[in-house]
Amino acid sequence: MSCGTAAEIEGARGESMLMTKKPKHDRSNACVKCKENGGNIVIRHVVYCKSCFDPFVKHKFKKGLEPFINVSGQKKAVLKPWGNLTIGFSGGLGSTVLLDLVKRCYYSSEEVDEKKGNNPRNDGIWKKVTVCFVDVSEVYPEALDETSQVAQYIQGSYPTFKFVPVRLSDAFDKRWWKAVRGGPLTTSDFGVQLDPDLALRILDASSPTPLESLQTYFRSLPTQTAAHSSIQTLVRVLLLHVARSTDSSHLLLGTSLTSLAISLISGISQGGGYNVREEAQEDWMPPPTLKEGKERAIRLVRPLRDVGVKECEIYAWWRELKVVGKHKWPGGGQSIASLTKEFILGLEKDYPSTVSTITRTCAKLVSKDQPSGTCSICQRPLQGGLDTWKSQISIRSLTEVTPARSVQDLPLSSLTPLLCYSCQGTLTSRSSKSVSTAENGATVSLPVWTQAKLLDQEAMKGEIEEFLLSDEDE
Amino acid sequence: MTTTTITTKSVRIEFGGGLELLFANQKSHKVDLPGTMVDGKPTNVHDLILWLRDNLLKEREELFLDKNTVRPGILVLINDTDWELEGEGDYVVQNNDEIVFISTLHGG
């Protein structure tokens, strides 16, 4: 009996012994919707023709957005948000598709239902639309600044939308903070030492520029994973603050189903399981400002979270949309996010339904307890009792086992109690692939919103001034 | 004396989604493929992909190919139709076909 390979057996018998390929669709090649036209695209085993594909995507987009426009409890027959709209635009595929869908569904007279006429429900729901682009090229010197191409694209294709460019270094810029929030920070700069205790420091009076602060921050991060994660966090929080400054009730991001699955899995891998629901959608309450009026929660929605990347691709191709962003971030090949992306894309190719299972399962997860606050860096819910739990599960040193340290034992000037588990790991987690070029435990500046939170805590302020060491004292 | 006729197939290739960067930054190519391969079988899309690798691809082969087929995340359209409906790599290329390769390398 031959134990040869299929090719050897095939050669011997002159016939193929390989299993015949299963078709990638469930029934015939005809469109499942109209049942008349031949299919043009297969989406998770379902066949659509070109004519039926467009309304299919629009329906999914609206389903992912419209239920979340009104404040809970209000009737949904009329879409009435309390504020304006901000759209986060990265130049990538998802945000390009998102912009096009927003314009077509709510700001275009071209899309008129033949039977019903122009639906007033769809007329310019938000009074003002702002498109915000965050340039991240400052992190990598060899990356290109795409702001001008993006500006040209937005102003050419969406002239009624306001374009607001932001730089990643604005996260460390007091002038930007004053412009979006009102009121200056103190003259002191809080920094954090990137050691296991995350000790707070007062930085030199001669503050570096925002760009220098940003680059020092990223140079000091321990891993490529930490850098990638930090970029995502800073971009998201910058967008939230821009949305706040434009009196927006909604911030839309173009995260597709595939991208969402990638960020869910990679986020959980980095300890972000407590905020899994926020990864899909979140209501963010801005901290109080000097401006008059009560703050209202801004809803961050990802309307394309049920639209896979394949659907986005084919939509953009058939609509002839130009994708201006190239996103070649150097040095990210070995990060958790990159490895997860490879895994998910492979999974989507072989088992397309599995990717939507990931997002649906994560949407069902609910945390056991109420959050004890908000993380001062990522602005997401903070899990209570974190330090006690960490001290029970982690061993600091193999040579000496020290008694478990509770949060009371930490220096009062530590940032740790104000961070979620994921952000703590981002700043302190080290591996054999550590890439930090700075010395171990370098002191870096903190994002402006973190500094503002530190100042807002009146009781901590007095204790910090008593215990903090300035750089001159070391 | 016998005359041998060599048939070629003229095919239009389009690259989108940033994939054109790997092919001299040119989105559209008109190529002449051999009608049959060395083994006598008619040229199919799988053969086309390898032909592109050997003749047009300028850099970063790993961003286009994975184990002799297109990398996961690259969508292939044959005459505006998903190649999954046309038999994927086994589709026999016809004269004047338009084959599009679109990448999903971008984010959201």
Side-chain angles (χ1 to χ4, degrees):
Chain A
M1 185 122 165
S2 171
C3 294
T5 62
E8 290 168 355
I9 299 169
E10 178 180 344
R13 294 190 185 175
E15 59 190 22
S16 175
M17 296 300 290
L18 294 172
M19 195 188 295
T20 50
K21 280 184 189 171
K22 258 180 84 173
K24 292 272 183 95
H25 47 91
D26 288 337
R27 295 173 185 168
S28 72
N29 280 22
C31 174
V32 70
K33 279 286 198 186
C34 64
K35 297 178 176 45
E36 292 170 0
N37 299 332
N40 289 102
I41 189 79
V42 181
I43 305 293
R44 295 191 279 286
H45 306 287
V46 181
V47 179
Y48 296 94
C49 67
K50 198 169 174 177
S51 309
C52 293
F53 176 75
D54 190 72
F56 161 73
V57 173
K58 280 173 72 176
H59 169 73
K60 278 199 169 177
F61 162 74
K62 288 184 174 184
K63 195 177 157 195
L65 173 59
E66 288 180 2
F68 309 104
I69 290 179
N70 293 347
V71 173
S72 304
Q74 291 185 0
K75 283 185 185 174
K76 292 175 187 174
V78 177
L79 298 173
K80 202 172 179 186
W82 63 260
N84 298 317
L85 176 66
T86 296
I87 301 174
F89 183 77
S90 65
L93 177 65
S95 46
T96 302
V97 169
L98 174 68
L99 262 187
D100 187 67
L101 283 165
V102 167
K103 182 184 173 185
R104 288 178 70 199
C105 293
Y106 306 113
Y107 295 93
S108 169
S109 55
E110 296 169 2
E111 303 290 332
V112 176
D113 191 305
E114 284 176 2
K115 291 179 192 171
K116 297 176 186 173
N118 197 25
N119 190 346
R121 173 190 164 102
N122 295 339
D123 286 343
I125 294 173
W126 296 270
K127 284 185 188 157
K128 259 176 55 180
V129 179
T130 302
V131 177
C132 182
F133 171 74
V134 182
D135 170 49
V136 302
S137 64
E138 291 166 323
V139 175
Y140 302 105
E142 58 269 42
L144 293 173
D145 182 355
E146 296 170 334
T147 307
S148 53
Q149 290 105 294
V150 170
Q152 215 172 352
Y153 172 70
I154 299 295
Q155 282 150 10
S157 302
Y158 306 94
T160 56
F161 295 173
K162 183 183 172 192
F163 177 66
V164 172
V166 172
R167 301 198 172 280
L168 203 63
S169 55
D170 289 343
F172 298 88
D173 189 350
K174 288 181 206 170
R175 286 175 307 173
W176 176 83
W177 183 247
K178 183 179 177 179
V180 297
R181 298 290 293 166
L185 292 175
T186 69
T187 54
S188 300
D189 268 311
F190 285 111
V192 65
Q193 187 169 346
L194 296 186
D195 61 13
D197 286 337
L198 293 176
L200 285 167
R201 303 281 185 220
I202 297 272
L203 296 177
D204 254 337
S206 55
S207 316
T209 63
L211 178 59
E212 287 166 354
S213 297
L214 174 80
Q215 288 177 340
T216 305
Y217 185 89
F218 276 87
R219 259 201 312 272
S220 308
L221 288 173
T223 57
Q224 288 179 10
T225 297
H228 189 278
S229 178
S230 294
I231 289 174
Q232 286 192 308
T233 297
L234 292 178
V235 166
R236 181 175 50 79
V237 181
L238 282 167
L239 288 173
L240 283 169
H241 283 288
V242 167
R244 162 67 189 78
S245 71
T246 56
D247 293 321
S248 296
S249 55
H250 293 83
L251 168 64
L252 303 188
L253 299 183
T255 312
S256 64
L257 170 71
T258 315
S259 299
L260 181 60
I262 293 167
S263 62
L264 283 168
I265 298 295
S266 65
I268 290 170
S269 315
Q270 296 168 65
Y274 190 74
N275 295 317
V276 133
R277 286 179 74 87
E278 280 73 23
E279 197 60 46
Q281 182 169 311
E282 57 188 298
D283 284 349
W284 177 68
M285 178 60 79
T289 66
L290 297 179
K291 290 183 183 178
E292 288 179 8
K294 198 179 160 186
E295 294 288 349
R296 298 185 71 169
I298 295 172
R299 186 161 283 172
L300 195 163
V301 185
R302 294 177 165 86
L304 300 181
R305 62 184 177 278
D306 284 329
V307 182
V309 72
K310 181 178 179 180
E311 293 144 87
C312 290
E313 271 185 325
I314 199 74
Y315 179 92
W317 181 257
W318 283 340
R319 292 275 303 161
E320 296 179 14
L321 301 178
K322 186 182 169 192
V323 180
V324 294
K326 293 291 180 268
H327 280 318
K328 291 205 168 172
W329 292 345
Q334 290 302 308
S335 66
I336 287 179
S338 303
L339 296 170
T340 308
K341 182 177 178 178
E342 264 184 55
F343 166 67
I344 296 289
L345 286 179
L347 197 67
E348 193 167 41
K349 183 183 176 187
D350 297 328
Y351 306 98
S353 302
T354 315
V355 176
S356 67
T357 303
I358 292 172
T359 59
R360 285 179 209 283
T361 304
C362 288
K364 295 176 188 172
L365 296 175
V366 178
S367 57
K368 279 194 304 186
D369 47 13
Q370 291 297 316
S372 65
T374 307
C375 174
S376 62
I377 290 183
C378 72
Q379 305 284 292
R380 281 180 168 168
L382 191 56
Q383 188 176 5
L386 196 53
D387 289 300
T388 308
W389 171 74
K390 271 181 67 179
S391 65
Q392 289 167 355
I393 63 155
S394 58
I395 299 173
R396 295 285 182 101
S397 164
L398 291 175
T399 55
E400 179 187 332
V401 178
T402 55
R405 291 167 52 151
S406 68
V407 64
Q408 285 80 18
D409 295 334
L410 286 168
L412 288 168
S413 59
S414 170
L415 189 61
T416 301
L418 301 178
L419 297 184
C420 64
Y421 184 66
S422 178
C423 288
Q424 288 180 31
T426 296
L427 296 181
T428 60
S429 182
R430 294 200 175 265
S431 74
S432 58
K433 296 187 194 303
S434 285
V435 295
S436 170
T437 57
E439 289 177 11
N440 218 8
T443 299
V444 297
S445 188
L446 287 165
V448 285
W449 52 82
T450 309
Q451 300 206 29
K453 181 158 185 176
L454 291 170
L455 291 174
D456 284 347
Q457 298 194 19
E458 297 294 330
M460 178 177 269
K461 185 181 175 183
E463 288 163 344
I464 287 172
E465 282 173 355
E466 186 181 343
F467 288 98
L468 275 179
L469 302 172
S470 65
D471 287 342
E472 292 89 37
D473 291 341
E474 292 191 36
Chain B
M1 200 163 95
T2 56
T3 307
T4 307
T5 306
I6 301 170
T7 57
T8 57
K9 296 176 188 177
S10 182
V11 177
R12 190 161 152 224
I13 309 289
E14 294 267 349
F15 296 109
L19 214 48
E20 64 274 15
L21 295 172
L22 308 180
F23 294 88
N25 212 10
Q26 196 178 328
K27 286 193 174 181
S28 197
H29 302 255
K30 190 106 179 167
V31 301
D32 291 318
L33 293 178
T36 56
M37 299 310 294
V38 174
D39 55 5
K41 289 184 183 170
T43 306
N44 58 24
V45 171
H46 173 73
D47 300 321
L48 166 66
I49 290 167
L50 297 179
W51 187 92
L52 289 173
R53 178 197 63 187
D54 297 335
N55 294 280
L56 285 187
L57 185 66
K58 299 295 178 202
E59 56 176 307
R60 306 292 302 275
E61 179 182 319
E62 71 278 8
L63 292 181
F64 181 61
L65 282 167
D66 180 34
K67 292 173 195 166
N68 287 339
T69 186
V70 287
R71 187 185 163 172
I74 293 181
L75 173 63
V76 184
L77 297 177
I78 300 171
N79 300 323
D80 225 20
T81 300
D82 193 343
W83 77 333
E84 291 179 13
L85 289 167
E86 301 284 14
E88 294 188 5
D90 295 332
Y91 170 83
V92 174
V93 177
Q94 307 297 318
N95 199 32
N96 294 325
D97 272 350
E98 181 190 71
I99 300 177
V100 179
F101 297 89
I102 310 171
S103 166
T104 57
L105 296 176
H106 311 307

